Structure formats: C-alpha cells, structure tokens
Amino acid sequence: MVRITINKEQVQFSSKLQINPKLWDTSNGKVLGASTDALNINRLLNIMRVKIDEIYYQQLNEHGYVLPEKIKNIVLGVETDKKKMLLEHFAEHNEFYLLKIGRDTSQITYGRYELTKVRLKEFLKTEYKLSDIPVMELTPIFIEKFFLFLQQEHNCNNNTALKFVQRFRTVFNYIKSTGADIKIDPFVSFRFKTKKVVREVLTQEEIDAIYKKEFLTERLGQVRDIFLFMCYSGLSYIDVAQLTEDNVKTAFDGHQWIMTSRQKTNVPSNIRLLEIPLEIIEKYKGKQKDGKLFPVCSNQKMNEYLKEIATICGIDKPVTCHLARHTFGTTVTLANGVPIETVSKMLGHTDIRTTHK
C-alpha cells in the first residue's frame, strides 16, 4: 500500500505490487533480499516515490499548496482534466448550456454551439486528419485556418464565419474557467472585424406582387401567407411558429395586437395588426393543432419554398424568412414614418443599435 500524508491529511491506495509479508522491511519500506522479484519491486517502488515527489513540487509551484488526494488521483490516472480533448470539452460546455435553456439562453443558440462543434470536427478531420486535439495544442494559426475553412468549405461570408469563431472563443473561455492548464490564448492575435452588410429588403411593389399572386399548390399559398404575416409583423420564423391564438389580443385602443415575447431574447414584442395580417389570421383561425396560429413548416423548407415564390413572382432577391423581418423594419414601418424607437420595441430588440443595423 502507498500512503501519502501532507499536513496531517492522509490518503492511501494500492501500489498493485505484491510480496510475501515475511519479506517486507516495514521500517525501510522495501523488499528484503536480492532476488529478481525483490530487486524489481524495489525499483518500481522507487519510481513511484520519485513520481510522487515530482507531482508534489509541481503542484506546490503551480498552486502554492498540495492536496494528498490530488497526488493520488494523478498517480492513478483519475486526474483527467488536463488530458481532456477539445471536442470533449466542447460537448461538456454544450451539455451545461442545454441545462440553462429557458432562463438566459435559447434552443436556437444551443443549436449554433452544436453546429460549431460539428464544423470543428470536420475541420480537424480535413486539415489535420485527427478526430480530436488536446486543448494545449491550439495555436493562433489553428484559429486562422478554421476561419478560412468555414469560408472556403462552407461558403460562409466574413461575418458568419466570425460568429463561429466567437462561439469557439466562448467555449475556450469556458475551458479555462474549469481550471484547465492553458498557457497560451490562441485567440489573442485573431482580428474580430465584421464587415458592414447592405441588407436586402422588399419594396412595397414586390410585397404586393407576392400578395396578389395566385399559386397552384396549397403549400406555396400557405408559405406566402406566413411570409407576408412576417413582413407585416416583424416576427422571426421561430416566433411565428410558436404563436398561438392566445397571442392575439384586443388592446385598450380597440385594435387587435400580437402580444408575445421574442424566443431569442425573451423581450416583450407587441405589434398592432394591420389589415393584411388580420386577414391571414382569420384565414387559418381554428384550423391548427394545439391552438397554433399557422401551419408552419421547417425553416429550411420555408426558405426553399420562398425561393420558388420569388422566381414565380419575378423577384431577383434572396427571399428568406429573415428578409421578411428586415422588410418590416424598413418598407413597412420606417418608410411610413414610424419612429425608429417604436420599430425597435416592436422588433423586440434589446438595443436600438441593433435596429440601426
């Protein structure tokens, strides 16, 4: 048995070595005699003593104190924090993040962290032919290469690729907070510089063209209706998908309003319903399960159908669910004299600078 005592704190564990008790020298802590077994066991015990001494002084230098339990764990290989690989840490971060959903985090953001982990896994396999990498081996050039990989292999623009890198940095900071032994910050020299993007919006004429168009399939008609509702409400895809009939309320002014909270930020968002969105609500009222307002398909399918709708309507713009939100913020509101402060509140923004973008 091995016993470690520091400041009267004591732990003991098996050395996994065996000898006849009659051959054991208790006072000197070694095997008696000069047989091959005796010499071999004494050699292994000396190696263990030296290792324990090395761990003791290393811990003392790094932390200023030493716990016997810590030494035991390192000797037995239980101490795995320093050996944990990048993607293992990433998975741990995401599991912890998942527990906080509904408080100060969202399912959407969790999904983005999961996607970042997937992209890192792809990058490691493509660039380094590895399934994972120790955190201590991360370098500034690793970050730069990952940024370029996102742009070249996944056609991400500068700002989208930056979002991936920013999430990666958040996870790296989480890893540091766990006490992992990290000497160099690989992000310290990376330039997080976004590029100003000119956002596309639909003109009133283009909105009217989509509104007046007769579609041959029911699905395209439904997607058109939901898209127009987003254009006239400013709600995002996920917010519209979660709307129920209970979110439609008659306010003090006698008009009907959508009263909800943004799924992304949990910020209240109240939007007065104009004639067209009221017409769309009436069209689908009472026809959905669980009191839902509209028959909303997946975001991916919505965007596929919207691309088809744009082609049919002769609109040469990337028509997506998110385009509807920008269209509301400009064509439907600001262009009609609605103050930007009011638009910001209707969009559920926490910072008016977001609305200015």
Side-chain angles (χ1 to χ4, degrees):
M1 297 295 291
V2 178
R3 180 180 295 149
I4 302 172
T5 306
I6 303 174
N7 295 331
K8 297 182 181 179
E9 285 190 44
Q10 191 178 92
V11 295
Q12 61 182 32
F13 56 94
S14 172
S15 68
K16 306 292 194 299
L17 301 172
Q18 295 182 354
I19 193 68
N20 188 321
K22 293 178 181 179
L23 299 176
W24 182 248
D25 183 349
T26 305
S27 59
N28 293 310
K30 67 177 184 177
V31 182
L32 296 170
S35 68
T36 303
D37 282 348
L39 293 174
N40 188 48
I41 290 176
N42 286 336
R43 179 180 63 83
L44 293 173
L45 290 174
N46 282 331
I47 290 172
M48 190 170 290
R49 286 191 186 94
V50 170
K51 184 175 182 180
I52 289 171
D53 283 342
E54 287 177 350
I55 295 169
Y56 173 84
Y57 287 111
Q58 181 187 24
Q59 291 288 308
L60 190 63
N61 288 334
E62 290 182 5
H63 306 291
Y65 65 93
V66 189
L67 300 174
E69 187 79 23
K70 187 87 170 176
I71 296 177
K72 183 192 87 168
N73 289 342
I74 295 173
V75 171
L76 296 178
V78 177
E79 194 74 13
T80 58
D81 284 349
K82 293 184 181 179
K83 298 177 183 177
K84 196 177 289 183
M85 307 289 270
L86 173 62
L87 295 181
E88 288 180 290
H89 275 297
F90 218 114
E92 182 185 280
H93 166 274
N94 290 3
E95 288 171 11
F96 183 60
Y97 194 94
L98 187 61
L99 296 174
K100 299 189 288 183
I101 288 177
R103 296 180 179 87
D104 54 352
T105 62
S106 71
Q107 185 72 37
I108 292 175
T109 309
Y110 166 75
R112 288 171 181 161
Y113 276 109
E114 279 289 284
L115 182 58
T116 305
K117 185 182 71 175
V118 170
R119 292 290 178 260
L120 270 171
K121 186 175 182 180
E122 294 170 352
F123 170 65
L124 282 167
K125 186 175 181 181
T126 302
E127 183 68 26
Y128 297 96
K129 305 297 186 289
L130 295 172
S131 60
D132 210 340
I133 188 173
V135 178
M136 292 178 68
E137 291 186 19
L138 293 178
T139 62
I141 195 65
F142 182 97
I143 310 302
E144 292 285 352
K145 284 184 176 182
F146 178 56
F147 180 68
L148 292 174
F149 168 81
L150 292 167
Q151 293 179 308
Q152 294 169 358
E153 298 298 322
H154 290 281
N155 200 30
C156 293
N157 61 34
N158 177 82
N159 294 357
T160 302
L162 274 183
K163 290 290 185 182
F164 277 97
V165 176
Q166 285 171 339
R167 286 190 286 273
F168 185 8
R169 182 175 61 174
T170 299
V171 174
F172 179 80
N173 289 335
Y174 165 82
I175 295 170
K176 286 199 297 185
S177 72
T178 65
D181 185 21
I182 299 172
K183 307 295 186 199
I184 299 172
D185 184 348
F187 294 89
V188 70
S189 60
F190 186 83
R191 294 182 65 195
F192 288 87
K193 189 173 182 180
T194 57
K195 292 183 179 178
K196 190 169 181 63
V197 177
V198 178
R199 299 189 183 278
E200 292 268 23
V201 296
L202 295 181
T203 63
Q204 189 60 55
E205 291 74 17
E206 289 168 332
I207 297 172
D208 293 340
I210 294 173
Y211 174 71
K212 293 173 183 176
K213 191 69 179 178
E214 292 291 333
F215 294 101
L216 298 177
T217 65
E218 181 183 7
R219 173 53 68 188
L220 284 181
Q222 288 178 344
V223 169
R224 181 270 309 278
D225 291 342
I226 295 164
F227 175 75
L228 287 172
F229 185 86
M230 289 192 283
C231 285
Y232 283 102
S233 68
L235 291 173
S236 67
Y237 164 82
I238 190 63
D239 292 325
V240 170
Q242 293 180 348
L243 282 181
T244 66
E245 293 184 5
D246 291 338
N247 294 125
V248 182
K249 302 180 187 296
T250 302
F252 65 91
D253 59 0
H255 294 286
Q256 286 192 295
W257 290 62
I258 288 288
M259 296 184 180
T260 185
S261 293
R262 285 212 65 205
Q263 203 272 347
K264 182 179 179 181
T265 59
N266 203 34
V267 173
S269 180
N270 301 323
I271 305 107
R272 179 181 163 181
L273 292 167
L274 302 175
E275 183 180 343
I276 290 177
L278 279 171
E279 175 188 307
I280 294 169
I281 288 174
E282 194 61 34
K283 182 177 179 179
Y284 295 97
K285 191 174 182 180
K287 297 180 181 179
Q288 315 311 314
K289 294 180 181 179
D290 305 320
K292 293 287 185 182
L293 210 54
F294 301 118
V296 182
C297 58
S298 71
N299 196 357
Q300 183 180 358
K301 282 292 182 185
M302 278 280 292
N303 287 332
E304 286 176 8
Y305 288 129
L306 285 172
K307 187 176 181 180
E308 187 177 344
I309 288 171
T311 302
I312 293 171
C313 295
I315 298 172
D316 187 22
K317 289 178 181 177
V319 179
T320 63
C321 292
H322 204 58
L323 178 74
R325 190 163 161 80
H326 291 301
T327 297
F328 172 82
T330 53
T331 306
V332 176
T333 53
L334 291 177
N336 287 298
V338 179
I340 193 167
E341 292 80 8
T342 304
V343 175
S344 183
K345 289 181 180 179
M346 287 192 289
L347 288 171
H349 286 160
T350 56
D351 190 334
I352 198 169
R353 288 176 296 182
T354 307
T355 316
H356 278 289
K357 293 176 182 178

